């Protein structure tokens, strides 16, 4: 969330009325623990939770053995106009953007134009924080693992100013500001503007993966297909007059501005599962633990890598992220050993609960 994002993934470890369905009755659906899941059971569960949580609309995809075996859309992209969500409806990915951006960053590392451990100021000085010389310690690795010392967003600070809250590299604090500084560095390396950085993302990631509906800088086509956002009470949000929309319009906002839908996003997930497009060394960097973010009551630790959350123990091959922008919530989970995963995008502030609950659903031992 741009205002008060705080990841709560660790909680899950403790613990067709309006649908357009591509594989609702697929008999080959498998749960996370390998049990057959009837398509109608999954469909009914999602629809029931959608109504219970007052989620206007959503897009969902399930991956088994590295392939999408179930893709479905539910509810409304616009409640007032009774406009249904379809497989062309676009959602804000919110902080799921961070995982894709980290993946994008590694293409620059492989190209040899960015070093994860070289201070970012050596590529591009940052006037907004130059009064604090500690900023000269900040690297891409620190940014991507939330160890830069920056707050999430300066707007959340009492004085509204960007600051360094601890010695860079010594602690963890979730920070969109850090990701955006790194985006500025990439823009500078490319000697371009935000549209040019978007073109680079398309050429390095989206086009090779066939992601035709995914972009960090929304186009007119994106906006015309985009779902309307709704708050936790189900009221439509006046996004055109919101602070964040006006501030970020036409910019490549690395930690939060990706626009996409479930089937398109699943192409990137499958690529990660298969270890494709990037080198083996890049994947090692992406998956390496940098910050412990939580410890569950059962003693399981949750770590932040470069752009992903990763539990230890029996879930050590699982990589996760959730996202929350105003009126949009999202969630993905992928297991790189099982080639299993799911992704959900909603146009509601309540969708994170469903993303969380789905993992519990997929670990059931009986679907009768």
């Amino acid at each position: 969330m741009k205002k008060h994002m705080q990841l709560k993934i660790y909680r899950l470890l403790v613990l067709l009325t309006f649908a357009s369905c591509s594989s609702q009755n697929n008999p080959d659906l498998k749960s996370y623990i390998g049990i057959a899941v009837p398509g109608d059971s999954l469909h009914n569960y999602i629809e029931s939770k959608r109504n219970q949580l007052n989620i206007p609309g959503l897009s969902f995809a399930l991956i088994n053995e590295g392939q999408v075996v179930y893709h479905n859309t539910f509810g409304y992209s616009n409640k007032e106009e009774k406009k249904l969500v379809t497989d062309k409806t676009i959602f804000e990915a919110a902080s799921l953007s961070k995982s894709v951006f980290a993946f994008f960053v590694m293409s620059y590392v492989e190209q040899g134009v960015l070093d994860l451990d070289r201070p970012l100021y050596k590529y591009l000085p940052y006037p907004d924080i130059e009064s604090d010389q500690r900023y000269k310690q900040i690297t891409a690795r620190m940014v991507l693992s939330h160890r830069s010392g920056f707050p999430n967003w300066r707007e959340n600070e009492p004085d509204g100013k960007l600051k360094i809250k601890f010695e860079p590299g010594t602690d963890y604090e979730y920070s969109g500001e850090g990701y955006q500084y790194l985006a500025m560095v990439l823009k500078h390396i490319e000697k371009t503007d935000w549209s040019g950085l978007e073109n680079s993302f398309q050429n390095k990631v989206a086009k090779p993966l066939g992601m035709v509906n995914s972009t960090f800088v929304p186009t007119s086509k994106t906006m015309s297909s985009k779902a309307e956002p709704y708050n936790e009470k189900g009221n439509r949000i006046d996004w055109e007059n919101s602070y964040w929309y006006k501030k970020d319009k036409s910019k490549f906002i690395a930690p939060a501005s990706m626009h996409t839908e479930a089937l398109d996003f699943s192409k990137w997930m499958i690529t990660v599962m298969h270890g494709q497009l990037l080198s083996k060394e890049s994947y090692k960097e992406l998956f390496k633990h940098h910050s412990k973010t939580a410890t569950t009551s059962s003693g399981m630790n949750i770590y932040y890598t470069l752009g992903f959350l990763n539990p230890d123990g029996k879930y050590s091959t699982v990589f996760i992220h959730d996202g929350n922008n105003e009126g949009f919530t999202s969630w993905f989970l992928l297991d790189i050993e099982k080639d299993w995963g799911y992704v959900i995008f909603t146009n509601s502030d309540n969708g994170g609960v469903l993303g969380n609950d789905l993992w519990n659903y997929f670990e059931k031992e009986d679907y009768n």
Side-chain angles (χ1 to χ4, degrees):
M1 177 188 282
K2 291 179 181 177
K3 289 185 177 179
H4 300 290
M5 176 66 185
Q6 183 177 6
L7 297 173
K8 298 179 180 177
I9 304 263
Y10 64 90
R11 290 187 303 138
L12 63 85
L13 294 168
V14 184
L15 304 173
L16 170 58
T17 303
F18 302 118
S20 170
C21 179
S22 62
S23 54
Q24 180 179 334
N25 297 311
N26 191 322
D28 298 320
L29 306 183
K30 298 294 182 183
S31 73
Y32 181 72
I33 59 176
I35 293 176
V37 180
D40 57 355
S41 171
L42 175 58
H43 170 84
N44 292 336
Y45 177 80
I46 294 175
E47 182 66 4
S48 173
K49 295 293 288 188
R50 183 183 74 82
N51 288 319
Q52 176 187 332
L53 295 168
N54 195 22
I55 298 170
L58 64 88
S59 177
F60 174 84
L62 173 67
I63 299 167
N64 288 174
E65 298 179 359
Q67 297 183 21
V68 174
V69 293
Y70 180 97
H71 171 238
N72 208 342
T73 59
F74 298 75
Y76 294 114
S77 64
N78 185 319
K79 285 198 309 182
E80 292 74 21
E81 297 179 8
K82 305 298 182 185
K83 186 177 180 180
L84 300 179
V85 177
T86 72
D87 58 3
K88 303 298 183 186
T89 302
I90 302 299
F91 295 82
E92 291 187 21
S95 286
L96 271 60
S97 305
K98 293 179 175 70
S99 304
V100 180
F101 179 71
F103 184 93
F104 177 46
V105 167
M106 293 310 300
S107 68
Y108 286 89
V109 175
E110 291 189 1
Q111 191 179 340
V113 296
L114 180 73
D115 186 321
L116 286 174
D117 299 307
R118 185 186 186 200
L120 292 181
Y121 88 95
K122 292 187 176 181
Y123 298 99
L124 178 68
Y126 198 6
D128 290 10
I129 195 65
E130 63 185 2
S131 61
D132 189 333
Q133 290 298 297
R134 292 180 297 173
Y135 104 92
K136 291 186 175 182
Q137 303 173 39
I138 296 172
T139 65
R141 186 185 302 277
M142 293 176 192
V143 163
L144 294 175
S145 59
H146 298 297
R147 298 177 67 84
S148 66
F150 286 152
N152 190 13
W153 296 106
R154 67 190 73 186
E155 286 86 350
N156 298 337
E157 297 302 302
D159 59 4
K161 296 180 180 180
L162 182 61
K163 56 177 60 69
I164 295 176
K165 302 175 76 171
F166 54 81
E167 195 76 12
T170 65
D171 204 350
Y172 170 88
E173 179 158 338
Y174 195 79
S175 175
E177 291 281 0
Y179 270 67
Q180 196 56 21
Y181 179 24
L182 181 51
M184 293 163 57
V185 169
L186 296 188
K187 179 164 66 76
H188 180 74
I189 288 173
E190 291 279 9
K191 296 181 173 61
T192 188
D193 55 13
W194 291 125
S195 294
L197 189 60
E198 171 63 32
N199 288 337
S200 179
F201 168 73
Q202 292 296 320
N203 291 329
K204 290 175 178 288
V205 178
K207 289 180 180 178
L209 302 186
M211 298 172 72
V212 297
N213 295 317
S214 299
T215 180
F216 275 83
V217 181
T219 65
S220 57
K221 178 183 175 182
T222 300
M223 297 306 290
S224 67
S225 303
K226 185 175 176 179
E228 292 293 328
Y230 295 85
N231 64 21
E232 59 185 11
K233 295 181 179 179
N235 297 323
R236 188 172 172 179
I237 293 170
D238 182 14
W239 55 269
E240 290 180 292
N241 291 311
S242 75
Y243 168 82
W244 292 104
Y245 173 74
K246 292 178 178 179
K247 173 179 179 285
D248 297 339
K249 185 178 180 181
S250 300
K251 295 179 182 178
F252 188 116
I253 306 301
S257 73
M258 189 177 185
H259 286 60
T260 187
E261 44 82 24
L263 196 57
D264 223 35
F265 193 86
S266 67
K267 297 173 182 177
W268 172 79
M269 293 173 63
I270 292 168
T271 298
V272 174
M273 290 175 183
H274 292 169
Q276 296 173 333
L277 199 61
L278 297 177
S279 69
K280 185 178 294 187
E281 184 59 34
S282 288
Y283 279 105
K284 285 182 181 178
E285 293 289 0
L286 284 173
F287 296 154
K288 188 182 301 181
H289 290 177
H290 288 83
S291 308
K292 186 168 76 172
T293 66
T295 300
T296 71
S297 59
S298 64
M300 185 175 295
N301 298 313
I302 313 296
Y303 295 90
Y304 208 93
T305 69
L306 299 186
F308 298 85
L309 280 154
N310 175 230
D312 61 11
K314 68 177 182 177
Y315 297 117
S316 62
T317 55
V318 169
F319 295 86
I320 312 165
H321 218 294
D322 68 342
N324 190 342
N325 283 354
E326 191 175 21
F328 291 97
T329 45
S330 53
W331 178 290
F332 81 81
L333 178 152
L334 61 88
D335 190 310
I336 59 173
E337 185 175 274
K338 296 184 177 184
D339 289 345
W340 188 97
Y342 66 88
V343 60
I344 184 169
F345 295 103
T346 81
N347 59 341
S348 167
D349 282 338
N350 300 329
V353 175
L354 177 53
N356 196 349
D357 288 348
L358 276 163
W359 197 359
N360 292 325
Y361 172 84
F362 282 121
E363 289 200 297
K364 289 170 56 177
E365 296 185 355
D366 186 3
Y367 292 91
N368 295 322

